[in-house]
Amino acid sequence: MIGIGQKRVDGIVKAWAQQKSIKEVMLFLQSHGVSTGLATKIYKQYENEALNVVRSNPYQMVQDITGIGFKTADKIAQALGLAADSPSRIEAGIAYTLNRMSQEGHVYVPQSQLEPEAAEILALGEEKVRYVIDTLEGEELIKRQNLPQTDSATGVVKEETAVYLTPLYYSEVGVTNRVQRLVRHPTSRLRGINLPLLPRTLSDEQQAAVRTALTHKVAILTGGPGTGKTTTLRSLLEVLEGNGRTYALASPTGRAAKRLAEATGREAKTIHRLLEFKPGEGFTRDDDNPLDVDMLVIDETSMLDVVLANQLLKAVPLDAHLLLVGDVDQLPSVGAGDVLRDLIASEVPALIRLTQIFRQSADSLIIHNAHRINQGLFPETKPTAQDFFIFVKEEPDELAELIVDIVQKRLPAKFGLDPFDDVQVLCPMYQGAVGVANLNTLLQAGLNPPNRQGERRLGGRVLRVGDKVMQTVNNYDKSVFNGDIGRITALDVVEQTLTVSIDRQPVIYDFLEADELVHAYAITVHKSQGSEYPCVVVPLVTQHYMMLQRNLLYTAVTRAKQMVILAGTRKAISIALRNNKTAERHTALDWRLKGE
């Protein structure tokens, strides 16, 4: 329960220990400041179940109710007298460790790492954890496999036991099998397609890319900004249309799909929409009901995690072509896996890498510096520059004030940029003086102070009419998606609703649904993936050293269409440039695809 203090947790534990009814517990939670939404979730989850289900295994709440974590459930369990070495407690601790690692991008966890980490969380010996791991495998709740592991320091290859959450194991194996089946399938819907003379405006690289996509069942098109990926894609679609062939365009997120549609002038969908996802039912399109297309094009593939990749590949006909477009130098997916990088490393799909920067793009300092950053070189600025600036400020608190001034006053005054619609602050981290949380507080106070139109404290935040907010989960009922940004236009305390304008369309939220929204004056670089903004402002301080990586800085800079402002210290920028070690993710997709 995020934001609940120790006394409140103890009160919750006490309430459960006294065997109060679920409804009484819900009222108790509300009276002690727990959000109505979370209390209602608890009530709705268990109102029709015997309370002894909760008493016998409080850890089930971790899976059932968003907002209750392992530590809170563990306090409740211990208060109810559950033994510290109870198998259900150890199972929950192992699951918590595996889930936490998957949230960091790992598809599996080496058992040699899992055992001590879970043991530390549980405050038990590793042998007890090891015994329960064996039990979990027998119950098919996890999967284990011996995989080769190369020691980065010595280069020595040794075997390690990989522990997978079962869905992640089958997703990785599923992606492997489906890519191999596509590549090996003897028939192609594009066989015999007429390859016309392509426009002379296309470079040799781009022409080769079009032909490769038409002649290889699975292909990857990658390249940095300004190298003509979009132009290449449009030419490919024109060839398909000229030959009467069908295709579909999709991206992992709503924002990315909108960008793809704008760039190509064709319809593009989210992958979930393409696969006709239905809440509570899953994906309609799969092996038994594949998409009826000759070619499927997926953009922003660097954002594709292994679970969604597996669902996608289920729906690709074996005689169709698949083209994956993306910039492999950007941040990897938020979810588990490193699909694009692993596919390239496997050398199974045909690879087209665009490297030529076109003259119009070369004149842009944004494009120029994005490539410099990718090479580990410090970005350049010019006295006459109008699209790339570096502001140096050493103290984080002073930098926070400067960023507010830049967004609120300087950019509107000098460049006519709207601080809400045209400017996006992108942060490496949530915490700190120039982290997402503090900058949202400061920017809200500067850009949207208390007004007569109303405000409401929901989930520990003040949501105010006029606030810039972001949707954090896909909500198919409302047709809004993770990463969509809008403005609160109305707040109705009688109806208990707030209205958000997203892409000029009103979206109505019940107050209980407000936890789907966060302030978006500042967001993390990870949340910006797949989006573009006229201007981005990026705070960089040494306090963020844990997140200062070259691909993070590169991703932030390439989100801007017109202007980039890096604000902070040159030392922090240099740290990011030197740190080109992509965060190691435990995945085995490339090894599986190679058939080793």
Side-chain angles (χ1 to χ4, degrees):
M1 295 178 184
I2 299 171
I4 300 177
Q6 182 62 50
K7 290 183 179 179
R8 291 180 187 168
V9 171
D10 290 342
I12 295 166
V13 171
K14 183 178 178 181
W16 241 288
Q18 291 174 344
Q19 300 184 4
K20 292 181 179 288
S21 72
I22 286 292
K23 189 169 184 179
E24 287 176 300
V25 171
M26 188 183 81
L27 294 172
F28 177 86
L29 294 173
Q30 291 174 304
S31 68
H32 283 71
V34 178
S35 71
T36 303
L38 185 53
T40 302
K41 285 181 183 179
I42 294 172
Y43 175 65
K44 287 183 176 180
Q45 184 67 38
Y46 297 116
E47 62 178 335
N48 295 320
E49 298 180 23
L51 191 56
N52 61 15
V53 172
V54 180
R55 295 195 193 110
S56 62
N57 186 11
Y59 301 104
Q60 187 63 38
M61 290 188 295
V62 178
Q63 302 297 322
D64 292 345
I65 305 169
T66 301
I68 293 185
F70 170 78
K71 292 181 179 179
T72 299
D74 199 33
K75 286 181 181 294
I76 293 171
Q78 291 183 46
L80 293 173
L82 198 67
D85 61 354
S86 164
S88 63
R89 179 173 184 265
I90 299 174
E91 287 179 8
I94 294 170
Y96 170 78
T97 305
L98 288 170
N99 277 300
R100 181 174 58 80
M101 294 293 284
S102 73
Q103 290 166 7
E104 295 174 6
H106 302 290
V107 179
Y108 69 84
V109 181
Q111 186 163 334
S112 59
Q113 181 180 348
L114 174 63
E115 287 179 5
E117 290 203 18
E120 182 178 356
I121 290 166
L122 294 162
L124 294 172
E126 290 182 28
E127 69 282 352
K128 292 185 181 291
V129 172
R130 191 174 306 123
Y131 174 79
V132 174
I133 287 175
D134 293 340
T135 302
L136 289 172
E137 184 179 31
E139 296 173 353
E140 293 280 323
L141 296 175
I142 62 169
K143 299 288 288 186
R144 284 191 291 187
Q145 183 174 6
N146 290 334
L147 301 174
Q149 179 69 23
T150 303
D151 188 290
S152 57
T154 64
V156 175
V157 179
K158 59 181 181 180
E159 273 201 345
E160 67 178 9
T161 301
V163 183
Y164 289 81
L165 289 167
T166 301
L168 293 180
Y169 173 82
Y170 284 116
S171 291
E172 188 172 83
V173 171
V175 170
T176 303
N177 293 339
R178 289 179 173 89
V179 168
Q180 290 174 336
R181 287 170 61 198
L182 271 171
V183 170
R184 295 169 182 168
H185 195 71
T187 62
S188 163
R189 294 189 180 196
L190 299 184
R191 182 168 294 166
I193 193 169
N194 178 37
L195 285 173
L197 288 175
L198 296 170
R200 293 184 178 180
T201 52
L202 293 183
S203 68
D204 291 343
E205 282 184 339
Q206 290 174 310
Q207 294 196 35
V210 172
R211 293 191 174 94
T212 299
L214 294 171
T215 55
H216 288 74
K217 297 290 293 301
V218 183
I220 294 172
L221 173 62
T222 189
T227 56
K229 293 194 298 294
T230 300
T231 301
T232 303
L233 182 53
R234 282 200 298 261
S235 296
L236 171 64
L237 299 180
E238 288 168 2
V239 172
L240 292 171
E241 290 165 348
N243 281 267
R245 305 303 172 97
T246 60
Y247 60 83
L249 306 176
S251 292
T253 68
R255 300 290 293 183
K258 290 168 189 172
R259 279 185 58 202
L260 179 60
E262 292 167 359
T264 61
R266 278 88 169 173
E267 181 186 22
K269 300 178 179 180
T270 65
I271 293 174
H272 282 74
R273 281 288 186 204
L274 178 73
L275 303 183
E276 300 173 20
F277 177 81
K278 296 179 181 178
E281 299 179 26
F283 295 91
T284 302
R285 295 289 185 173
D286 54 19
D287 294 293
D288 299 322
N289 184 28
L291 298 164
D292 186 16
V293 293
D294 300 328
M295 175 175 281
L296 177 61
V297 179
I298 304 298
D299 195 22
E300 296 287 356
T301 312
S302 61
M303 302 173 66
L304 195 60
D305 63 54
V306 70
V307 174
L308 187 55
N310 185 45
Q311 293 293 343
L312 175 71
L313 286 162
K314 287 181 182 179
V316 181
L318 288 177
D319 55 356
H321 284 226
L322 174 65
L323 176 63
L324 304 173
V325 184
D327 187 345
V328 73
D329 295 314
Q330 289 186 21
L331 289 167
S333 60
V334 174
D338 203 351
V339 174
L340 180 59
R341 189 171 282 104
D342 283 348
L343 287 171
I344 292 173
S346 75
E347 299 182 348
V348 171
L351 176 65
I352 314 110
R353 191 185 299 272
L354 301 180
T355 59
Q356 180 181 336
I357 303 174
F358 290 88
R359 181 174 179 179
Q360 184 177 0
S361 297
D363 293 337
S364 161
L365 267 184
I366 297 175
I367 302 297
H368 174 73
N369 282 328
H371 286 274
R372 284 184 64 84
I373 289 167
N374 208 21
Q375 297 164 24
L377 302 174
F378 205 92
E380 296 178 336
T381 57
K382 301 175 183 178
T384 58
Q386 296 291 299
D387 63 350
F388 204 103
F389 303 90
I390 298 177
F391 287 78
V392 176
K393 186 70 72 173
E394 297 291 333
E395 294 298 322
D397 288 333
E398 294 179 3
L399 176 58
E401 293 178 6
L402 173 63
I403 288 173
V404 174
D405 188 54
I406 288 171
V407 175
Q408 183 181 1
K409 297 177 181 177
R410 298 193 192 190
L411 289 172
K414 186 170 182 179
F415 298 101
L417 293 174
D418 184 287
F420 289 92
D421 297 333
D422 298 332
V423 184
Q424 185 60 59
V425 179
L426 303 180
C427 304
M429 294 183 71
Y430 276 97
Q431 305 305 320
V434 288
V436 168
N438 189 52
L439 285 178
N440 268 319
T441 298
L442 296 177
L443 287 164
Q444 182 193 38
L447 295 172
N448 191 35
N451 54 62
R452 294 181 179 179
Q453 298 180 74
E455 63 181 42
R456 181 83 174 194
R457 179 172 290 276
L458 296 168
R461 302 157 299 150
V462 174
L463 293 176
R464 189 173 293 153
V465 172
D467 269 345
K468 182 178 181 179
V469 293
M470 180 172 65
Q471 176 78 14
T472 59
V473 296
N474 291 334
N475 187 322
Y476 296 93
D477 294 330
K478 298 182 187 298
S479 293
V480 290
F481 305 97
N482 186 8
D484 281 351
I485 290 177
R487 298 276 300 278
I488 297 177
T489 57
L491 194 152
D492 191 325
V493 294
V494 176
E495 295 295 330
Q496 299 280 289
T497 62
L498 56 87
T499 303
V500 180
S501 176
I502 298 177
D503 291 328
R504 300 181 181 179
Q505 296 297 317
V507 182
I508 299 175
Y509 293 80
D510 188 278
F511 282 172
L512 296 179
E513 300 171 313
D515 58 355
E516 295 184 9
L517 300 170
V518 295
H519 287 110
Y521 301 98
I523 63 175
T524 62
V525 178
H526 283 83
K527 276 291 186 184
S528 74
Q529 286 179 267
S531 299
E532 270 190 347
Y533 315 95
C535 172
V536 300
V537 179
V538 187
L540 295 160
V541 292
T542 54
Q543 286 83 349
H544 288 167
Y545 73 94
M546 289 290 290
M547 293 298 295
L548 292 178
Q549 297 173 344
R550 189 185 298 178
N551 62 353
L552 182 137
L553 179 56
Y554 174 78
T555 300
V557 167
T558 54
R559 299 308 89 206
K561 292 190 287 187
Q562 299 173 22
M563 186 181 302
V564 171
I565 296 175
L566 303 184
T569 68
R570 291 183 176 273
K571 182 178 181 181
I573 297 173
S574 296
I575 290 172
L577 293 171
R578 288 196 300 268
N579 184 7
N580 192 36
K581 185 179 179 182
T582 304
E584 294 286 339
R585 293 189 169 194
H586 296 303
T587 72
L589 178 60
D590 60 333
W591 173 78
R592 294 183 191 280
L593 283 165
K594 290 174 183 176
E596 298 179 5

